[in-house]
C-alpha cells in the first residue's frame, strides 16, 4: 500500500483550520451543444474532499482541467469551468465563485470555496514547468490531489505543485482508489479473474503481460480475443485482429499456462457480415467462422462458461467489454459478463470509459464493489507503471 499523507488524517489532527487548501480535482465533465453538463459524476465525486476541507475551517481552492484548450489563451465558453462552479454551488449549498487569472493570487477566506479557471490555460501546465508549479505552490499551505484520473500525467497541477507546496497529500477520492486497487491487485482474494476487452492487443499488451503474472484466469474480449483465437490457429474471417501481435499473444498464453492459470479462448461467437447495428447476427462455433464473417461478440456457450468462472471468483478486475455492446444484437456477451459480476460475491473493480458505459447500459453500478474514476491512470496502474502524481506524494510523505 502507498505511504502518503491524506486529507482525512490532516483534518483529524486539526491541521487544516485557517489553512489555504488547494485541491486538484477532476472536473472534466461532458457538455451538450447548449453548454449544459450532461453527466456530473466527477463533480459529485469531488464534493466529499471539498466538504472535508471546508468543515475543517480551511479556505478552499479547487483546480481542474477541462478539455484541451490552448495554453496562454483566454478561456472560450467551451473551455470555461463556469458551469461546473455553478453546479458545484448547488451541490454544496453555498456560493462558489470562478476565479480567472489566478496564478498570481487568490482571494479566499476560511469557510469559502472558489473554482480556479481551467488550469490548462496556464503556460507551462502540460510541460510541468517549475516556474508555474512554484507560483501555484505559493497559493496554498496544503496541496491535495483528489484526481486519480490524472495521476498518470506529470503536469504542473498534478505533479510539480506537489514538489513545492508546504504539505502535499491525497484527497478521499484518490485514497479510495488506491485502497480499492491495492485490494484487487496486491493481496487479492483468490481466484483473481481479470477481464480485458478492447479492439487492439497492441494497446493492452503490457497490461496483459503484467496480469499474466498475477491472475488465476485472464478473460480476453473484443478484437483482443480475435487475435488470441488467431494465435490458437482458429479462422476469424474478416474480424478485427492484429496478426503482427501473434508472437506476443502466444507469449502471454505461454506465461499463463506456465503458472497453471487459464486464458479461455471462445468456443462460440456471434458474427455479422458488416459493422452495422442492423447487420444480421448469427451464432457459430468458433471452428466454423466463414471467410466473410466478422466476429462481434462471444457466443452464449462461452458467455455461460465465463459467467460460471466469475461466480467462483474471489476478486474481479474488469477493463473493457467483450463485444460490440453498443449494438444490441452483439451486446449479449457483455451483458452476461456484467450480470455475472453483479451477482458475484467477489470484490470487483471496474475502470475505463467503455467499461463504465457498459455498466451504465446494464444497470449494475450499485453491484460493482468499486468503479474507478480513472481511464488512462487505471490502465497504467494495472500495467504496474509508476504514476507520477502518486510517486511525488510518496516522496513528500516524510517531508
Amino acid at each position: 500500500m502507498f505511504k502518503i499523507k491524506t486529507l482525512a488524517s490532516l483534518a483529524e489532527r486539526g491541521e487544516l483550520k485557517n489553512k489555504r487548501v488547494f485541491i486538484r480535482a477532476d472536473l472534466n465533465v461532458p457538455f451538450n451543444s447548449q453548454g449544459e453538463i450532461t453527466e456530473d459524476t466527477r463533480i459529485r465525486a469531488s464534493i466529499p474532499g471539498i466538504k472535508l476541507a471546508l468543515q475543517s475551517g480551511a479556505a478552499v481552492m479547487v483546480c481542474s482541467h477541462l478539455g484541451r484548450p490552448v495554453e496562454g489563451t483566454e478561456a472560450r465558453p467551451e473551455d470555461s469551468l463556469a458551469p461546473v462552479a455553478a453546479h458545484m454551488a448547488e451541490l454544496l449549498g453555498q456560493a462558489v465563485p470562478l476565479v480567472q487569472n489566478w496564478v498570481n493570487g487568490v482571494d479566499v477566506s476560511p469557510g469559502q470555496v472558489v473554482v480556479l479557471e481551467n488550469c490548462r490555460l496556464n503556460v507551462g501546465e502540460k510541460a510541468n514547468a517549475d516556474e508555474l508549479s512554484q507560483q501555484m505552490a505559493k497559493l496554498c499551505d496544503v496541496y491535495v490531489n483528489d484526481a486519480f484520473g490524472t495521476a498518470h500525467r506529470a503536469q504542473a497541477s498534478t505533479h510539480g505543485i506537489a514538489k513545492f507546496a508546504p504539505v502535499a497529500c491525497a484527497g478521499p477520492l484518490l485514497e479510495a482508489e488506491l485502497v480499492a486497487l491495492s485490494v484487487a491487485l496486491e493481496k487479492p482474494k483468490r481466484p483473481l479473474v481479470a477481464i480485458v476487452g478492447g479492439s487492439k492487443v497492441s494497446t493492452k499488451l503490457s497490461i496483459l503481460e503484467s496480469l499474466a503474472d498475477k491472475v488465476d484466469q485472464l478473460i480476453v474480449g473484443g478484437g483482443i480475443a480475435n487475435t488470441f483465437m488467431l494465435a490458437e490457429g482458429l479462422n476469424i474471417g474478416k474480424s478485427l485482429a492484429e496478426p503482427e501481435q501473434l508472437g506476443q499473444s502466444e507469449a502471454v498464453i505461454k506465461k499463463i499456462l506456465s503458472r497453471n492459470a487459464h486464458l479461455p479462448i471462445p468456443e462460440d461467437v456471434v458474427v455479422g457480415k458488416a459493422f452495422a447495428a442492423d447487420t444480421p447476427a448469427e451464432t457459430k462455433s468458433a471452428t466454423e467462422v466463414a471467410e466473410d464473417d466478422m466476429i462481434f461478440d462471444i457466443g452464449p456457450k462461452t458467455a455461460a462458461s465465463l459467467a460460471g468462472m466469475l461466480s467462483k471468483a474471489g476478486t474481479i478486475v474488469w477493463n473493457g467489454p467483450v463485444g460490440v455492446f453498443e449494438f444490441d444484437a452483439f451486446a449479449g456477451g457483455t451483458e452476461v459478463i456484467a450480470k455475472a459480476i453483479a451477482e458475484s460475491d467477489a470484490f470487483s473493480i471496474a475502470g475505463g470509459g467503455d467499461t463504465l458505459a457498459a455498466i451504465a447500459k446494464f444497470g449494475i453500478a450499485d453491484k460493482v464493489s468499486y468503479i474507478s474514476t480513472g481511464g488512462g491512470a487505471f490502465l497504467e496502474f494495472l500495467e504496474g507503471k509508476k504514476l507520477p502524481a502518486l510517486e511525488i506524494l510518496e516522496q513528500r510523505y516524510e517531508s
Side-chain angles (χ1 to χ4, degrees):
M1 185 58 187
F2 290 85
K3 281 194 171 183
I4 54 179
K5 291 177 182 174
T6 65
L7 185 67
S9 63
L10 295 176
E12 192 176 332
R13 294 195 298 267
E15 295 178 15
L16 299 179
K17 188 171 179 61
N18 296 324
K19 296 294 175 67
R20 293 169 65 86
V21 174
F22 185 112
I23 299 177
R24 175 50 161 103
D26 183 0
L27 307 175
N28 187 31
V29 293
F31 291 83
N32 61 21
S33 57
Q34 284 77 48
E36 300 165 329
I37 296 167
T38 56
E39 211 284 317
D40 71 346
T41 299
R42 287 175 172 169
I43 302 174
R44 289 182 178 275
S46 74
I47 297 298
I50 296 167
K51 279 187 173 179
L52 179 58
L54 288 172
Q55 289 164 1
S56 299
V60 182
M61 297 161 276
V62 183
C63 167
S64 177
H65 71 286
L66 179 67
R68 292 182 171 85
V70 178
E71 285 189 4
T73 62
E74 291 296 318
R76 301 170 301 174
E78 61 267 34
D79 300 328
S80 179
L81 287 166
V84 172
H87 189 53
M88 188 177 287
E90 293 174 13
L91 296 174
L92 288 170
Q94 70 179 79
V96 182
L98 178 72
V99 181
Q100 306 282 353
N101 305 313
W102 48 269
V103 171
N104 292 316
V106 179
D107 184 15
V108 59
S109 302
Q112 294 181 336
V113 56
V114 298
V115 168
L116 310 178
E117 186 60 283
N118 195 335
C119 62
R120 286 193 177 162
L121 293 166
N122 298 325
V123 175
E125 168 66 16
K126 286 186 179 180
N128 197 22
D130 276 357
E131 184 181 356
L132 175 61
S133 301
Q134 289 166 342
Q135 282 181 290
M136 292 195 295
K138 288 176 183 174
L139 299 175
C140 66
D141 302 301
V142 178
Y143 167 74
V144 184
N145 191 321
D146 209 21
F148 178 74
T150 66
H152 58 309
R153 298 193 180 106
Q155 297 182 347
S157 65
T158 62
H159 181 270
I161 183 176
K163 287 194 297 184
F164 302 111
V167 176
C169 67
L173 179 61
L174 178 58
E175 186 182 0
E177 290 271 2
L178 298 181
V179 170
L181 285 163
S182 297
V183 168
L185 296 175
E186 290 182 8
K187 291 184 179 177
K189 183 180 177 185
R190 300 283 178 173
L192 169 58
V193 182
I195 306 157
V196 181
S199 58
K200 294 183 177 182
V201 170
S202 55
T203 60
K204 302 275 180 84
L205 182 62
S206 52
I207 299 167
L208 295 169
E209 289 174 337
S210 176
L211 290 174
D213 284 325
K214 301 181 177 80
V215 302
D216 299 296
Q217 284 107 21
L218 178 57
I219 296 170
V220 291
I224 293 173
N226 297 341
T227 303
F228 276 89
M229 289 174 68
L230 205 55
E232 291 289 276
L234 292 164
N235 179 40
I236 60 168
K238 296 194 300 181
S239 306
L240 176 67
E242 292 179 287
E244 67 277 11
Q245 298 290 336
L246 289 183
Q248 288 87 341
S249 301
E250 289 165 357
V252 170
I253 293 171
K254 187 176 179 180
K255 185 184 283 191
I256 284 277
L257 294 177
S258 73
R259 296 179 49 249
N260 294 318
H262 186 39
L263 192 156
I265 301 296
E267 56 182 306
D268 62 341
V269 293
V270 183
V271 302
K273 302 298 185 185
F275 186 79
D278 59 354
T279 192
E282 185 180 358
T283 300
K284 291 187 173 186
S285 165
T287 59
E288 296 174 351
V289 176
E291 293 299 332
D292 61 344
D293 280 336
M294 300 172 76
I295 300 170
F296 293 136
D297 195 11
I298 55 174
K301 284 184 183 177
T302 300
S305 173
L306 298 180
M309 189 180 292
L310 292 166
S311 71
K312 299 180 181 71
T315 307
I316 300 168
V317 178
W318 183 19
N319 175 251
V322 296
V324 186
F325 75 98
E326 298 90 344
F327 299 160
D328 288 344
F330 305 107
T334 301
E335 182 173 13
V336 169
I337 293 288
K339 290 186 173 175
I341 293 171
E343 292 166 7
S344 173
D345 292 329
F347 175 84
S348 54
I349 182 167
D354 288 342
T355 312
L356 302 192
I359 286 170
K361 178 168 182 171
F362 302 119
I364 66 159
D366 59 338
K367 301 289 189 357
V368 179
S369 305
Y370 193 84
I371 297 175
S372 174
T373 57
F378 180 77
L379 293 178
E380 291 196 14
F381 195 101
L382 294 187
E383 288 177 47
K385 288 184 177 178
K386 289 279 190 182
L387 305 186
L390 302 185
E391 211 169 8
I392 188 62
L393 292 183
E394 285 187 293
Q395 291 169 16
R396 291 299 313 276
Y397 176 70
E398 300 295 343
S399 64

